């Protein structure tokens, strides 16, 4: 089948990051070449970010794997994603939460929201809802969420997102401008927050009310 061998090789190479078998299997099921422009399809299974138009990128596969791993996603969970981009990360999360789960993914650029919707449909992800909006204030309508995944870098974690996280929930978010770090934030049962740094990263900026200004 098209690209299957390249995909399997790429996924195998991600084991060195300590990614769970569950996340690796979900990534093996999602055809990344469905989520990039035709002109980039030759690099679909190279571990690198790729341009998707509007000066935005699909994240590198190892970064998607690391974020999904930190999120500890389980069947049936409700997840908020800020920064749909191509829809690829949403598709991997969609496999991890299964048919009983749901992904609400917000994208500020209309053209990308439409691109992602088309890609997700082609990949058979029926449990993902893409919304066109500024996601820096979250999506209160469907809150609280078991998990929140932010795929663009914020000046600091918006309070609104912490409020929309369930107790016991996990949020993964990059923070910073030219120097960025990825954090996993857990909300304990008593409402207190534990924030753990994963390491240095490089994401496009979160632009919006509680992000950077355009
Ligand atoms: N998760 C994506 C994927 O799998 O292709 C990659 C995301 S890309 C690194 C970050 C995305 O965040 C961009 O598409 C950008 O337009 C979007 N973004 C930036 N600020 C945003 C905001 N305030 N609300 C929603 N989306 C935002």
């Amino acid at each position: 089948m098209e690209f299957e061998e390249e995909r399997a090789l790429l996924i195998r190479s991600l084991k060195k990051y300590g990614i769970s078998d569950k996340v690796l299997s979900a990534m093996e099921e999602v055809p990344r070449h469905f989520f990039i422009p035709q002109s980039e399809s030759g690099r679909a299974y190279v571990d690198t970010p790729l341009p998707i138009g509007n000066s935005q990128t699909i994240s590198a596969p190892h970064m998607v794997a690391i974020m999904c791993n930190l999120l500890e996603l389980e069947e049936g969970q409700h997840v908020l994603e800020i920064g749909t981009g191509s829809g690829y990360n949403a598709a991997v999360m969609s496999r991890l939460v299964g048919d009983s789960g749901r992904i609400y993914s917000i994208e500020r650029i209309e053209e990308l929201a439409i691109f992602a919707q088309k890609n997700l449909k082609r990949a058979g992800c029926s449990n993902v809802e893409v919304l066109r909006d500024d996601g820096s204030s979250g999506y209160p309508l469907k809150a609280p969420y078991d998990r929140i995944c932010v795929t663009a870098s914020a000046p600091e974690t918006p309070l609104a997102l912490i409020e929309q996280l369930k107790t016991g929930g996990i949020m993964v978010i990059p923070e910073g401008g030219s120097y960025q770090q990825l954090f996993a934030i857990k909300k304990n049962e008593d409402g207190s927050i534990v924030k753990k740094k994963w390491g240095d990263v490089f994401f496009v900026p979160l632009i919006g009310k509680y992000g950077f200004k355009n």
Side-chain angles (χ1 to χ4, degrees):
M1 220 186 273
E2 208 188 5
F3 292 121
E4 214 161 78
E5 215 167 293
E6 287 163 67
R7 183 154 74 242
L9 275 174
L10 168 70
I11 304 303
R12 222 170 297 151
S13 78
L14 301 179
K15 284 190 179 179
K16 60 177 177 279
Y17 295 99
I19 309 301
S20 70
D21 287 344
K22 197 161 97 170
V23 170
L24 294 175
S25 310
M27 290 183 73
E28 190 125 28
E29 283 173 25
V30 180
R32 189 172 186 249
H33 62 281
F34 281 11
F35 293 84
I36 56 177
Q38 186 67 36
S39 56
E40 296 291 344
S41 61
R43 296 200 289 164
Y45 297 102
V46 179
D47 190 13
T48 183
L50 292 169
I52 53 171
N54 296 86
S55 307
Q56 304 302 320
T57 52
I58 175 174
S59 302
H62 75 271
M63 197 39 67
V64 171
I66 287 163
M67 291 185 102
C68 287
N69 214 49
L70 289 170
L71 282 167
E72 299 174 23
L73 291 155
E74 283 167 26
E75 288 265 330
Q77 288 184 328
H78 282 208
V79 182
L80 175 65
E81 180 185 47
I82 320 289
T84 319
S86 66
Y88 176 70
N89 188 54
V92 174
M93 295 196 296
S94 127
R95 292 289 194 278
L96 286 161
V97 301
D99 289 342
S100 58
R102 190 121 196 115
I103 313 289
Y104 300 94
S105 185
I106 311 185
E107 172 55 55
R108 64 178 277 272
I109 300 173
E110 183 155 23
E111 216 175 305
L112 289 179
I114 294 167
F115 178 61
Q117 265 161 342
K118 188 192 81 189
N119 301 338
L120 286 158
K121 190 171 177 199
R122 187 174 171 210
C125 302
S126 53
N127 58 349
V128 182
E129 203 173 304
V130 177
L131 305 131
R132 215 289 310 153
D133 211 339
D134 169 14
S136 68
S137 340
Y139 185 44
L141 192 67
K142 300 286 179 180
Y145 301 96
D146 298 293
R147 301 289 186 261
I148 299 180
C149 184
V150 185
T151 68
S153 189
E156 58 184 21
T157 300
L159 194 57
L161 298 187
I162 292 177
E163 283 166 0
Q164 289 169 41
L165 189 63
K166 266 189 198 167
T167 53
I170 301 174
M171 165 162 42
V172 173
I173 181 165
E175 282 184 7
S178 50
Y179 172 62
Q180 305 174 1
Q181 293 185 312
L182 184 67
F183 292 93
I185 296 174
K186 189 161 186 189
K187 194 185 247 186
N188 294 324
E189 295 298 333
D190 65 1
S192 64
I193 295 294
V194 178
K195 188 171 178 178
K196 278 195 188 150
K197 185 170 71 192
W198 177 81
D200 297 347
V201 288
F202 189 73
F203 281 82
V204 296
L206 181 80
I207 293 169
K209 189 172 174 195
Y210 298 109
F212 291 97
K213 302 302 161 220
N214 205 357

